[in-house]
Structure formats: C-alpha cells, structure tokens
C-alpha cells in the first residue's frame, strides 16, 4: 500500500479557518499522489498551542466536528483511509485525538493522547486506552507524539496485533537553523520502537513556528520494522512524504517475552519503589558523584579474563573510579572470577562483572570485601525460568543489570526503573546495528544512566549514557579500552522531562494489563 505523511506548516489558533482549508487541500494533494492511507500531524486542526488565545480556542473547537466530517467525506469520495489529527471537544473535556476513517468514510477507531507533553496538559484530558484496529491492509494502531516515549503504549499496540503504528506528532525542537533541528524521538526512540516491536511506524509532523513560541522538527518519516528510516521529509517546509510499504513483509525475530516478570508495570504509581525514591534526599553532591568506567575487552579463558580485569582495576584506582563495569566473561565460574577480582579492587571501588552459568548469565556487584547484589539473566533459551528482575542497593546508587538481547525487550529495563534502578548495566556480547540507539532509548525513556559493556571488541564499543539519552563517553570501536565519565546517580531520581511531564507519574499502570499476558 502507498502511505502519505502530511507535513503541515504550523499556524496559530487564530488562523483556524485557514488551517481548515489548508489541510483539506493537502489531503486532496495526497489523494492525487496515489496514497491509500493518509496520516495528518497531531492537532492538524486547529492548532496545538490552544491556550495561548482562549477566545479563539472556543471558536476553533466549535468547528472540530465539521473538520472531521470533511475528512470522512474525503475518505468516502476518494476511497482512501485517512488519519485525522484534531483537538476534539467531548462534553466538557478536550482530547488530543487521532481518528481513523476507512475508504467508506466510516470511523474504524480513535486514540486519545495519553502522555501529555508540557503545557498541553493544561487543556487536554489524557486518554487511557490503547488498541489496534483492523483495516483492509492489515491491523494497525495509533498513538500521539509523547505516547512514543512510554514503551508500554507501542508494546500494547503490537501485542494487540498491529503491524503498523501511526504516530501523529508535533515534535518540538530548537536550533539556530532548521537543518540543525533534532529531537530524541526522531533521533533514536521511534526507530527503536519500530525495531523492538517489529512494526512499521508512520510519523507525520508539523514544521515551522507556532505562536512565536513552539518550533517544530518537521522530518516526517516512515520507519520499517528493522528500525530504518525509509522515507523522510525536510526540516523546513510543508510537503508530503510518500512510501510504499508491505505490512506482510518479513519482520525481525524478537526476543521471547516473559510476562510473568512484568507485574510491577501494572501497579499503581504510588506503590512503586521508584515513587518513593523520587521523594528521597541525595545528601551532598560530593558524596553522590561517582566516576564510572565502562570496559570492553575479549578473553579466551577465565585466567586471561582475570589478568585483564586486574589491569583495568589498577588503572581505575588511579583514575578515582567508584564504579568499574567489566565486560561479561566468556568462560569460567562467576564465583571464582569474583573471588579473583575482588582483592584487586581499591578501597571504596565497586565492580560489576558477569559470567556464563548453566541457566544463563549471572552478575555480581561488589567491593573488595562485600557482595551488594546478584543478578540473573531472566530471558533467553538458557535463562532459569525462576529468575527475577533485580535491583541492588549500593554505595554508588541502585544498580540493575540486563544481558544481551534483554535490552531489546523494553519491559525488562522498564521493570528495573520502576523498582528504583538508577544505573543499569547492559552486559553484551553481540554487535548489532541498533545497539547505540537502543542504549540511548533505554536511558531516555526511563531517565536513568545506562552503561553498556561488551566482550566482542571487533566493530563494537562500550559506552555510558545519561538519563537524557546523551552519550557521555565511549570506547573506540575495535579497541580494548576503558572509558570513564562522572555521573550523579541520584539524578536518575529526577523523572521530570519538562514541566508537567514525568516518566513515572504519567504512567497509567493499571491500564497496562495487556503487558502481563
């Protein structure tokens, strides 16, 4: 099928009549371009920044039903599917809505934005349901802009059978020139959403400046199930992006989920350990600061591993490292490796290290005299079915661990976060094209530090990533090396992204029951 993502030039609420006409014209242009499915941006009518002019907001919203009738008519008369983005009054409430019309002009389904972003929470009511819909092309789901920052929503849609997710957006961005505009959802989150769920993602966006206040990214795009952007618009003009997609094309093999381990995701926010940690003190910054060193090297025996680990322990002690993250061993017994490495740790230094076990990888966080926590691989063919996702309380903060493909299962990192994890260690053995984007996404969506260490040096690297998804430090590709960065683990207790938007308090745990099935 041929899809079209309309990239709309932003206009203010006072220009709602002009917006109405412009969107009709753009939709007709997409129809003339041969599109079978046309997706409009978030709040295509009448605008996004509603509250800037309450009087005009009231007048504009009075025409929202007329706008939807016009879109339904265009769908019916031209035999196309249309996803309309509209600010929609429903009784006394206003929803940020996506409405899907089929080629008969019949509404197949709708989605209300759940994860309200910044100021829009002052006039929109959040939605609380997520479902896919059958179309003549296949089953599809819809979400709206910041919904994509919550991995639960796209995952629920995929579990409900969606082969494509239409994410209508108004991605805010800023730069001196349009060519420099960037947004985390564009840069890595949405490609990862596509890859981790094996779905197509369509993202129509606005471009330009609204109300002299909100600037938009543009770059409307189509992403294939491998996470590749296969069609993309500019950052500076209104246009339509077309792409031919096949919903029945092969999709990537996904790691097996274990829903029995995800019960924390559906608990009320107030019952989660992370909620308590958000309200706890951090003491002094000097006490909380920690140099983290992420290491990559390969070893063909347990003895070689211990020898190399000892060298990095010595270097780390000279650096003032407080948390040394060693790569997973390929050989040996975890208890023996821990016993050999512990005496090499300087006073006050913690290390996390992992080794294979009969039931999957295991890991330990320790200093030179004590073990603070143990972790077990919980997913994968060799994983012990009794394994649980764990978080360890240490002098350098609350630490969690994931292993290999577990990073591609968003529920695993998410459970670690809601259990209070501040620094998540990803022990890995396999270079993959999407690894860096997955690493950044797990950090940003959970607002916690993520450290990747690996034992496959060729074409691979270790890295430390901030709670905003920024890469703090990385090793060279193909080099056995340690890379260090100064982190503040209690920063991971700060879960606010922008005012009124918080990755913990905006979760609607009781509505995520589908994740447990």
């Amino acid at each position: 099928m041929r899809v079209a993502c309309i990239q709309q030039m932003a206009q203010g609420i006072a220009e709602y009549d002009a917006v109405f006409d412009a969107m009709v014209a753009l939709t007709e242009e997409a129809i003339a371009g041969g599109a079978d499915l046309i997706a409009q941006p978030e709040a295509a009518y009448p605008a996004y920044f509603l509250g800037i002019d309450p009087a005009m907001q009231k007048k504009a919203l009075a025409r929202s039903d007329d706008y939807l009738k016009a879109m339904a008519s265009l769908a019916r008369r031209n035999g196309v599917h249309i996803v309309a983005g509209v600010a929609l009054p429903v009784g006394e409430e206003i929803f940020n809505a996506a409405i899907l019309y089929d080629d008969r002009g019949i509404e197949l389904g709708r989605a209300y934005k759940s994860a309200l972003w910044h100021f829009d929470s002052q006039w929109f009511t959040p939605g609380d349901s997520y479902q896919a819909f059958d179309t003549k092309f296949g089953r599809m789901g819809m979400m709206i802009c910041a919904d994509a920052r919550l991995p639960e929503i796209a995952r629920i849609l995929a579990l409900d059978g969606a082969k494509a997710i239409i994410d209508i957006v108004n991605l805010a961005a800023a730069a001196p020139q349009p060519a420099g505009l960037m947004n985390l959802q564009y840069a890595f989150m949405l490609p990862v959403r596509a890859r981790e769920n094996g779905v197509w993602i369509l993202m129509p966006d606005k471009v330009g400046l609204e109300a002299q206040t909100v600037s938009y990214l543009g770059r409307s795009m189509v992403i294939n199930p491998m996470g590749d952007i296969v069609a993309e618009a500019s950052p500076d003009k209104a246009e339509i992006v077309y792409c031919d997609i096949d919903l029945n094309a092969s999709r990537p093999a996904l790691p097996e989920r274990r829903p029995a381990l995800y019960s924390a995701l559906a608990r009320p926010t107030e019952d989660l350990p992370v909620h308590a940690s958000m309200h706890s003190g951090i003491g002094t910054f000097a006490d909380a600061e920690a140099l983290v060193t992420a290491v990559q090297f390969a070893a063909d025996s347990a003895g070689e591993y211990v020898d190399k680990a000892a060298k990095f322990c010595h270097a780390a002690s000279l650096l003032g490292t407080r948390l040394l993250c060693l790569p997973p061993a390929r050989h040996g017994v975890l208890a023996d490796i821990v016993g050999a490495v512990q005496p090499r740790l300087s006073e006050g230094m913690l290390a996390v290290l992992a080794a294979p076990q009969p039931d999957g990888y295991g890991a330990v966080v320790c200093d030179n005299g004590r073990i603070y926590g143990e972790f077990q691989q919980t997913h994968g063919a060799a994983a012990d079915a009794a394994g649980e996702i764990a978080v360890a309380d240490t002098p350098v903060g609350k630490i969690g661990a994931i292993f290999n493909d577990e990073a591609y299962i968003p529920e695993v990192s998410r459970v670690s976060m809601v259990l209070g994890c501040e620094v998540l260690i990803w022990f890995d053995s396999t270079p993959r094209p999407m690894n860096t984007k997955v690493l950044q996404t797990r950090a940003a969506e959970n607002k916690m530090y993520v450290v990747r260490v690996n034992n496959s040096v060729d074409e691979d690297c270790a890295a430390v990533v901030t709670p905003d998804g920024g890469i703090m430090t990385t090793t060279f590709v193909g080099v056995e090396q340690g890379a260090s960065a100064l982190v503040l683990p209690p920063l991971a207790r700060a879960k606010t992204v922008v005012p009124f938007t918080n990755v913990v308090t905006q979760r609607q745990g009781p509505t995520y029951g589908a994740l447990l099935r």
Side-chain angles (χ1 to χ4, degrees):
M1 81 171 156
R2 188 167 175 80
V3 300
C5 292
I6 292 177
Q7 182 157 290
Q8 173 188 8
M9 181 61 68
Q11 292 178 272
I13 188 69
E15 301 164 293
Y16 64 90
D17 281 331
V19 169
F20 193 122
D21 294 341
M23 285 307 299
V24 168
L26 281 168
T27 304
E28 290 175 334
E29 181 182 342
I31 292 168
D36 301 302
L37 172 69
I38 300 161
Q40 301 175 355
E42 174 186 11
Y45 178 83
Y48 180 55
F49 202 0
L50 301 184
I52 195 71
D53 191 334
M56 285 298 179
Q57 171 185 314
K58 184 176 181 179
K59 292 180 180 179
L61 295 182
R63 293 199 67 192
S64 291
D65 281 341
D66 292 337
Y67 182 77
L68 293 178
K69 289 176 182 177
M71 293 304 123
S73 177
L74 284 172
R76 182 181 63 255
R77 289 188 285 110
N78 295 281
V80 298
H81 286 59
I82 296 174
V83 176
V86 61
L88 183 64
V90 179
E92 298 299 316
E93 299 176 309
I94 305 170
F95 290 95
N96 189 334
I99 314 290
L100 171 61
Y101 295 104
D102 70 7
D103 52 4
R104 300 163 295 171
I106 296 173
E107 180 181 324
L108 291 183
R110 61 178 58 192
Y112 293 152
K113 186 176 183 180
S114 170
L116 299 182
W117 179 258
H118 202 179
F119 49 78
D120 69 3
S121 61
Q122 298 182 62
W123 43 83
F124 289 122
T125 298
D128 60 3
S129 64
Y130 329 96
Q131 62 184 103
F133 310 99
D134 288 319
T135 76
K136 64 186 289 186
F137 310 108
R139 199 157 172 81
M140 299 183 186
M142 298 185 294
M143 59 187 182
I144 302 174
C145 203
D147 287 346
R149 288 177 172 257
L150 276 62
E152 292 91 343
I153 295 176
R155 186 61 128 192
I156 289 171
L157 294 174
L159 292 173
D160 196 25
K163 294 183 177 180
I165 296 176
I166 302 135
D167 182 23
I168 69 172
V169 306
N170 283 176
L171 293 182
Q177 300 292 334
L181 291 170
M182 188 52 58
N183 178 284
L184 303 188
Q185 287 167 252
Y186 163 81
F188 48 81
M189 282 185 164
L190 282 172
V192 170
R193 291 287 170 264
R195 174 62 182 81
E196 70 194 12
N197 292 299
V199 297
W200 290 88
I201 289 185
L202 282 59
M203 189 205 84
D205 194 9
K206 288 182 184 172
V207 69
L209 182 65
E210 183 177 339
Q212 297 181 294
T213 303
V214 187
S215 56
Y216 296 116
L217 175 74
R219 304 189 192 277
S220 300
M221 61 181 176
V222 177
I223 309 170
N224 70 18
M226 295 303 298
D228 303 315
I229 298 173
V230 293
E232 182 179 345
S234 71
D236 58 359
K237 64 178 180 291
E239 57 187 298
I240 300 172
V241 176
Y242 299 95
C243 188
D244 294 315
I245 71 174
D246 180 2
L247 296 189
N248 294 314
S250 61
R251 303 194 291 171
L254 303 179
E256 185 177 354
R257 301 170 67 251
R258 287 186 57 198
L261 299 182
Y262 311 148
S263 61
L265 298 182
R267 286 163 54 186
T269 298
E270 296 77 11
D271 295 344
L272 298 173
V274 69
H275 187 263
S277 71
M278 288 168 56
H279 298 89
S280 62
I282 66 170
T284 67
F285 284 109
D287 291 337
E289 292 169 345
L291 189 73
V292 173
T293 299
V295 180
Q296 70 171 10
F297 65 74
D300 293 327
S301 69
E304 183 183 7
Y305 180 92
V306 171
D307 289 342
K308 290 186 176 182
K311 293 178 181 179
F312 281 105
C313 288
H314 177 61
S317 68
L318 298 175
L319 292 171
T321 297
R322 289 189 64 196
L323 181 61
L324 177 63
C325 304
L326 293 166
R330 295 175 177 173
H331 309 280
V333 177
L334 179 60
D336 294 342
I337 290 173
V338 171
V341 172
Q342 268 188 301
R344 315 297 180 95
L345 299 173
S346 60
E347 190 68 28
M349 183 193 301
L350 271 68
V352 286
L353 56 163
Q357 296 180 325
D359 52 359
Y361 266 91
V364 163
V365 55
C366 63
D367 61 17
N368 59 8
R370 175 182 172 185
I371 291 177
Y372 290 91
E374 300 181 13
F375 311 100
Q376 176 66 46
Q377 182 178 346
T378 58
H379 294 68
D384 181 351
E388 296 291 337
I389 298 169
V391 172
D393 199 354
T394 82
V396 184
K398 295 179 180 178
I399 294 176
I402 53 176
F403 303 85
N404 296 312
D405 281 354
E406 287 180 343
Y408 284 74
I409 307 171
E411 292 92 333
V412 185
S413 301
R414 197 67 160 174
V415 169
S416 295
M417 185 274 284
V418 302
L419 293 180
C421 181
E422 297 166 348
V423 183
L424 182 69
I425 316 300
W426 176 9
F427 294 101
D428 200 17
S429 306
T430 307
R432 309 173 193 82
M434 290 288 290
N435 277 349
T436 298
K437 289 182 178 180
V438 169
L439 179 66
Q440 292 177 279
T441 297
R442 296 295 169 252
E445 71 193 8
N446 293 302
K447 290 284 285 183
M448 64 184 178
Y449 292 97
V450 182
V451 181
R452 181 174 183 267
V453 290
N454 55 284
N455 61 19
S456 177
V457 177
D458 294 341
E459 301 180 1
D460 210 349
C461 60
V464 180
V465 178
T466 71
D468 293 318
I471 297 175
M472 298 185 74
T473 188
T474 179
T475 60
F476 289 116
V477 172
V479 177
E480 295 194 342
Q481 178 189 350
S484 302
L486 188 67
V487 308
L488 187 67
L491 182 62
R493 302 177 202 168
K495 300 299 186 180
T496 297
V497 185
V498 291
F500 316 116
T501 301
N502 184 288
V503 302
V504 171
T505 59
Q506 278 191 293
R507 296 180 69 259
Q508 299 185 38
T511 71
Y512 301 152
L515 297 173
L516 311 185
R517 298 194 291 270

